[in-house]
Amino acid sequence: MKVLLFAVALAIVATMSSAALAATSLPGPVVGGAPGPRTIVPVGGAGAGSLSPAYDAEALRGATYLGPAHLGWMSIDVVMQMRDEQGLLAYARAVSDPHSRYYRHFLGPEQIGDLFGAPRPAYERTARYFLDSGLGVRTWKQRLMLRVVGSQQNLERALDTHMGWFAKNGVTFFGPVSAPRARTALAVRGFAGIVNFHRMRRPLDSIVPPRKFVWGPGFLVGSSPFDIGSVFDYTGAYNISASCCKGNGITIGIVGTGPISQYDVPLFKQVFNVQGGSTVTQVNVTDVFEACCYSNGLETPPPVTPIGCVGPLPACNPEDGEAQLDTEQTSSLAPGVSVLFYLAYNPNECYAPGTCPPGDGQPELGIGLVDDEFQQIVNDNAADVVSASFGEGEQDYASVDNPLLMPNGTGAEPDIFAAMATEGMAIFFSSGDSGAEGCQRDGNPDTADIICADYPASDLSVVAVGGTNTPVGSNGRLLGILSAWGIATQTGGAGGGAFSDVMTRPAYQPTGSFCDSSGEFCNSSNRLVPDIAIEADPATGVAEIANCITVNCTSNGQALLFDQGGTSASSQEMAAMWALVLEACKQTTSCGSGPDPHSYRLGNPAPLLYSIYGGSGSLPYQSVFYDITYGDNAVPNSQGPGYSDLDPGFLAGPGYDLTTGLGAPFARNLIKVVTGM
């Protein structure tokens, strides 16, 4: 069946017309089942030694040089020149479009590599170049990127440069003092991580202080899985039939931001009486190309230690709260699901000036290594749904010099999300917790207090999930209306919502101009964020348990109970809801009859969600979504006194809006309209 599916995929790509998939170019003739090599013109020049790919040079402009960097060991991501980047982006759109003849013709990672990724000889030649330079190399089947790790001296020699420390906008960071260039022409598009000025960040942290976990009545804080399940009708989905729908047989992949304990989720389920066989398994992103030169590269993460321990990693490794929220929300709202928690660890990242020999650097766990986790998720092709809770303001992040995200919406990260969609995965990202100003926390005075969407939430292969205020009683019933998370509760943040600067508006989103509350800033051509919304306001936050590092926490009594908020919660809630949809699809003949081996996957959910809004579903829009009409995601001016000085945001209103998107979905009716069950 896999051979037949690949043949179908080749036929699909070969017959794509410019009218069907604009800007799609074709790989060369297939011989022996794999595309043959073709000439690659290197970025920055064609001759050996003239190659100088993108490396986020813009971050160095205006920076002050502080002196040479002694990093000891370094790790970078090598972004490959793909055979057909536009073809991959177009294919990802087509396989998720119910109106396309290519709908649900998903591919595996090897097929993505053969059709769209770097040609195999070019990929292997690039890997060999770095291996011969005494560096460790990590490869992936889709051939979009390489991970290179080793001594600073060997990396500098391989890239003909030296590393230095710089300062800009109050941030101290390292970067090359001259443009990195390989000694021979390679099929490389850019080097990511060789400048560490831009870093992904988590959304808003917990507002309510954590408290010691105490057994007995009256200890609970935050909305329980029962509360959220009742308001958004997960409960109705659980009771569709004796065999559906709790997420059984579905896998959610979580992009890890920090460490988890294996005991948190079992205790959470016990405390809140969650019935189901959901599991959480940590996937350590540790493999290398061959046993060479990788003594200080990605390693198995160290064990979790109690909160309050003294000292740095690896001896002190307390939980960060984000990972617990992610795993507990998904595994309790989809109580039969399998959760794969992808986590990468580098024990010797160096982020401060000074001498940094092996073992003396600052370990990096999770949030700084998400590109490796992305690549592993595509490589494994095991997750049906992917969720993540972090981002970066587009205008801080996108640059013609940044190989991860270009201002035209291309780059290594749009490519990896397109690869996930091409495999049929549904991807849910937090829209951000800074309201309409996703750039306001990044230290750049030029991007503070401006309309700015968060990336990756704005990616075209991603469903962006915003936040609601959800006043729910202990009986699971609403105490008032749902509204947009924002200025009404003054919790220090607001649900992310804005128009993108780098992504064009997809055909399934509403047309016309959208303006902020002042009427001054309007847009009629770019992608709109968010797509949907669900509980996120810390004022009505969800419960979370963390720091249980022994069975039932009986030996140390250190477990903490949080009242947690932010779109970190909402993206996980939606990932769990979509897992219920996929289980129903798997059990419905008309829905679950796609090509093997993932016949129940539906790809990017966004086209289906917007089709309901457009009236093409079997149920009216108002039966599937709670249309949120109250609220504003404006946030205080960064230089102002607080909520008395607000920058313009976006108002909630009837239909689609830039605070809550289409609104908050009801799980039972969403299942019915998507699958017919």
Side-chain angles (χ1 to χ4, degrees):
M1 179 59 75
K2 290 184 178 180
V3 174
L4 176 59
L5 177 60
F6 190 31
V8 171
L10 290 173
I12 290 172
V13 174
T15 58
M16 288 179 178
S17 67
S18 59
L21 294 172
T24 300
S25 56
L26 304 180
V30 176
V31 179
R38 72 177 189 182
T39 301
I40 301 292
V41 179
V43 176
S50 64
L51 177 60
S52 184
Y55 63 98
D56 204 8
E58 184 176 358
L60 293 167
R61 296 189 184 106
T64 300
Y65 176 68
L66 301 178
H70 304 285
L71 305 177
W73 289 78
M74 294 183 61
S75 56
I76 65 170
D77 290 319
V78 178
V79 180
M80 299 299 300
Q81 285 278 16
M82 296 170 59
R83 179 186 296 275
D84 189 1
E85 179 183 31
Q86 289 299 325
L88 174 60
L89 297 174
Y91 196 87
R93 293 192 298 270
V95 295
S96 299
D97 181 1
H99 303 292
S100 169
R101 55 179 168 165
Y102 313 121
Y103 184 45
R104 298 176 69 182
H105 288 280
F106 304 129
L107 305 179
E110 299 93 340
Q111 296 156 0
I112 292 172
D114 289 341
L115 289 170
F116 306 112
R120 189 181 302 276
Y123 194 64
E124 293 176 350
R125 184 167 60 250
T126 303
R128 177 53 55 188
Y129 173 82
F130 288 104
L131 283 167
D132 290 345
S133 299
L135 298 161
V137 178
R138 171 80 167 93
T139 64
W140 290 279
K141 297 174 184 177
Q142 59 272 15
R143 303 201 297 274
L144 305 180
M145 183 182 284
L146 292 167
R147 176 78 169 178
V148 174
V149 179
S151 72
Q152 175 184 342
Q153 180 181 10
N154 287 349
L155 188 64
E156 288 178 334
R157 183 168 57 246
L159 298 182
D160 192 24
T161 190
H162 293 281
M163 301 299 295
W165 285 106
F166 299 84
K168 180 179 177 181
N169 297 336
V171 177
T172 300
F173 63 100
F174 63 70
V177 297
S178 60
R181 8 176 327 128
R183 298 190 304 272
T184 185
L186 299 173
V188 172
R189 180 178 183 176
F191 302 119
I194 198 168
V195 178
N196 74 328
F197 180 72
H198 296 303
R199 301 177 197 170
M200 288 289 180
R201 54 176 168 78
R202 298 176 182 86
L204 189 71
D205 291 330
S206 175
I207 293 297
V208 177
R211 64 208 69 188
K212 186 79 169 290
F213 181 81
V214 180
W215 289 100
F219 71 94
L220 298 181
V221 297
S223 295
S224 70
F226 166 78
D227 298 328
I228 298 300
S230 297
V231 170
F232 299 105
D233 205 20
Y234 293 79
T235 305
Y238 303 154
N239 296 318
I240 287 177
S241 70
S243 61
C244 197
C245 300
K246 293 186 177 181
N248 292 292
I250 306 301
T251 300
I252 296 176
I254 295 177
V255 185
T257 59
I260 60 172
S261 165
Q262 62 180 309
Y263 305 111
D264 286 329
V265 166
L267 180 61
F268 186 86
K269 293 171 63 177
Q270 176 186 349
V271 168
F272 292 106
N273 194 30
V274 175
Q275 302 296 312
S278 60
T279 59
V280 176
T281 303
Q282 182 167 300
V283 179
N284 298 322
V285 183
T286 58
D287 293 341
V288 293
F289 186 67
E290 60 182 47
C292 168
C293 323
Y294 208 60
S295 60
N296 275 66
L298 297 179
E299 294 181 0
T300 300
V304 174
T305 55
I307 292 175
C309 63
V310 178
L313 275 166
C316 186
N317 186 30
E319 298 174 345
D320 68 347
E322 179 69 61
Q324 291 67 47
L325 180 69
D326 294 354
T327 52
E328 288 167 8
Q329 289 297 297
T330 50
S331 62
S332 62
L333 291 173
V337 80
S338 297
V339 174
L340 297 178
F341 185 79
Y342 284 82
L343 189 65
Y345 171 63
N346 187 332
N348 207 64
E349 294 282 359
C350 300
Y351 288 133
T355 301
C356 184
D360 287 351
Q362 175 183 330
E364 183 65 71
L365 179 63
I367 188 68
L369 303 170
V370 294
D371 285 304
D372 304 292
E373 295 168 358
F374 291 151
Q375 296 291 336
Q376 193 65 42
I377 289 171
V378 174
N379 182 90
D380 295 349
N381 196 18
D384 304 307
V385 185
V386 176
S387 61
S389 305
F390 51 83
E392 176 89 3
E394 280 186 340
Q395 295 182 50
D396 287 320
Y397 192 54
S399 163
V400 294
D401 296 318
N402 184 359
L404 296 178
L405 180 63
M406 304 286 187
N408 65 355
T410 64
E413 292 198 350
D415 295 340
I416 198 64
F417 296 128
M420 290 180 189
T422 294
E423 292 182 337
M425 298 176 186
I427 314 162
F428 295 91
F429 253 90
S430 304
S431 68
D433 294 357
S434 300
E437 297 179 351
C439 291
Q440 71 172 359
R441 296 186 177 188
D442 298 323
N444 185 348
D446 296 329
T447 58
D449 302 319
I450 61 174
I451 300 296
C452 180
D454 265 23
Y455 187 84
S458 62
D459 194 273
L460 296 179
S461 297
V462 164
V463 175
V465 188
T468 67
N469 173 276
T470 311
V472 56
S474 59
N475 59 358
R477 294 182 180 273
L478 282 174
L479 302 177
I481 63 170
L482 293 181
S483 59
W485 170 33
I487 62 176
T489 52
Q490 300 188 15
T491 54
F499 32 75
S500 173
D501 282 308
V502 302
M503 299 292 174
T504 57
R505 190 173 304 178
Y508 52 75
Q509 283 198 309
T511 59
S513 183
F514 285 78
C515 302
D516 70 351
S517 55
S518 72
E520 181 179 356
F521 300 102
C522 302
N523 182 280
S524 59
S525 59
N526 289 67
R527 194 226 197 284
L528 306 172
V529 175
D531 297 303
I532 50 181
I534 200 167
E535 162 54 31
D537 191 337
T540 56
V542 298
E544 174 188 338
I545 288 176
N547 204 37
C548 180
I549 62 174
T550 61
V551 176
N552 292 331
C553 297
T554 54
S555 65
N556 62 16
Q558 293 295 311
L560 298 176
L561 186 65
F562 291 76
D563 188 359
Q564 183 80 300
T567 54
S568 296
S570 61
S571 59
Q572 309 304 330
E573 292 158 9
M574 278 310 309
M577 188 181 294
W578 199 252
L580 309 186
V581 173
L582 293 185
E583 183 189 0
C585 183
K586 180 181 285 191
Q587 296 187 25
T588 307
T589 302
S590 59
C591 181
S593 57
D596 287 336
H598 303 293
S599 60
Y600 53 91
R601 289 185 183 175
L602 296 167
N604 181 3
L608 289 171
L609 298 174
Y610 282 93
S611 70
I612 299 169
Y613 178 64
S616 63
S618 58
L619 293 174
Y621 157 68
Q622 291 82 1
S623 296
V624 184
F625 290 92
Y626 187 118
D627 186 8
I628 298 164
T629 58
Y630 295 95
D632 187 332
N633 71 344
V635 291
N637 185 283
S638 63
Q639 305 300 317
Y643 279 88
S644 62
D645 183 15
L646 294 174
D647 291 324
F650 294 96
L651 295 170
Y656 181 89
D657 58 64
L658 286 165
T659 56
T660 58
L662 299 171
F666 298 114
R668 173 63 187 96
N669 282 351
L670 182 63
I671 288 173
K672 182 174 182 178
V673 76
V674 171
T675 72
M677 178 178 279

